[in-house]
Amino acid sequence: DAGITQSPRHKVTETGTPVTLRCHQTENHRYMYWYRQDPGHGLRLIHYSYGVKDTDKGEVSDGYSVSRSKTEDFLLTLESATSSQTSVYFCAISGQSGNEQFFGPGTRLTVL
Amino acid sequence: SQQGEEDPQALSIQEGENATMNCSYKTSINNLQWYRQNSGRGLVHLILIRSNEREKHSGRLRVTLDTSKKSSSLLITASRAADTASYFCATDTSGYSTLTFGKGTMLLVSP
């Protein structure tokens, strides 16, 4: 398995609170991605990174921000969590453009 | 917007039978990938087929790609109970390998 971990694995929080999810990789891969998975929607891209400090928005980026200050860590922040952000969040990594992605185990976030 | 759409949404077969899942997409692609997800787990990459390829094999998996019809199929031969999972197609259309996923096919293989 690719060396990719996510923390926390489960989190329950209240509406309006900030939340940060962490993705950590040991593969030295250049590309990192955050997806959310919801019933009936499959996986949707939130943000991605193509290098340290290089990030861009995905399909469902509203309400989320990201940071990547070093190769191995990609942080996803919900500045003020809402119930619509209750979801399972997956991080993925890829070594090269055009190659497959390796996924982390996911973080289940519940916003009450 | 959903780039890939899988068909059928759910498929139930017996062990030993073949399972075929289809994926349609809307725009030009760099490659198309298939992933498997067991319940409550992360996605696992199965196979990648590039836009200039028509067919690819990996073990019991066979993937075809028809760029003129914007469609792909995944065939799992001699299915096993352990193949029970959700299967997703994903299209790579950007220069950064961002993927657009379909909603998936739930495959149930009964012993």
Side-chain angles (χ1 to χ4, degrees), chain B residues 46-47 56-63 75-78 80:
Chain B
L46 294 176
I47 196 163
K56 205 162 183 180
H57 296 257
S58 176
R60 294 184 296 114
L61 305 180
R62 172 180 170 255
V63 169
L75 169 67
I76 304 174
T77 60
R80 306 165 182 168

Side-chain angles (χ1 to χ4, degrees), chain B residues 5 15-16 25 27 29 32 36 63 69-71 73 84 87 90 92-93 96 107 109 111:
Chain B
E5 294 288 342
E15 266 192 329
Y25 58 92
T27 63
I29 60 172
L32 185 144
R36 183 186 73 211
V63 169
K69 295 181 179 178
K70 291 186 170 59
S71 67
S73 67
T84 293
Y87 291 81
D92 176 0
T93 59
Y96 298 109
L107 173 65
V109 182

Side-chain angles (χ1 to χ4, degrees), chain B:
Chain B
S1 62
Q2 217 72 29
Q3 163 77 318
E5 294 288 342
E6 292 92 343
D7 171 58
Q9 291 186 341
L11 181 61
S12 184
I13 60 174
Q14 300 291 120
E15 266 192 329
E17 294 180 340
N18 295 342
T20 299
M21 289 160 262
N22 302 297
C23 172
S24 60
Y25 58 92
K26 299 174 184 174
T27 63
S28 296
I29 60 172
N30 298 322
N31 63 67
L32 185 144
Q33 304 178 30
W34 287 89
Y35 288 82
R36 183 186 73 211
Q37 183 180 35
N38 291 90
S39 180
R41 306 287 295 274
L43 278 74
V44 175
H45 179 263
L46 294 176
I47 196 163
L48 181 155
I49 186 164
R50 303 196 185 279
S51 60
N52 61 352
E53 298 176 310
R54 292 296 168 259
E55 187 171 313
K56 205 162 183 180
H57 296 257
S58 176
R60 294 184 296 114
L61 305 180
R62 172 180 170 255
V63 169
T64 62
L65 178 65
D66 186 335
T67 53
S68 67
K69 295 181 179 178
K70 291 186 170 59
S71 67
S72 173
S73 67
L74 171 68
L75 169 67
I76 304 174
T77 60
S79 296
R80 306 165 182 168
D83 294 327
T84 293
S86 291
Y87 291 81
F88 296 89
C89 71
T91 52
D92 176 0
T93 59
S94 78
Y96 298 109
S97 291
T98 56
L99 295 178
T100 304
F101 284 83
K103 297 178 183 179
T105 292
M106 290 183 59
L107 173 65
L108 174 63
V109 182
S110 301

Side-chain angles (χ1 to χ4, degrees), chain A residues 20-25 28-30 32 34 48-55 65-77:
Chain A
T20 295
L21 308 183
R22 180 184 184 230
C23 178
H24 179 77
Q25 60 144 329
N28 200 35
H29 280 352
R30 176 182 176 188
M32 298 186 76
W34 277 108
Y48 63 100
S49 170
Y50 46 95
V52 174
K53 295 188 179 0
D54 292 322
T55 66
S65 62
V66 290
S67 66
R68 190 171 179 198
S69 59
K70 46 186 178 177
T71 299
E72 56 266 36
D73 288 325
F74 193 31
L75 304 180
L76 177 70
T77 297

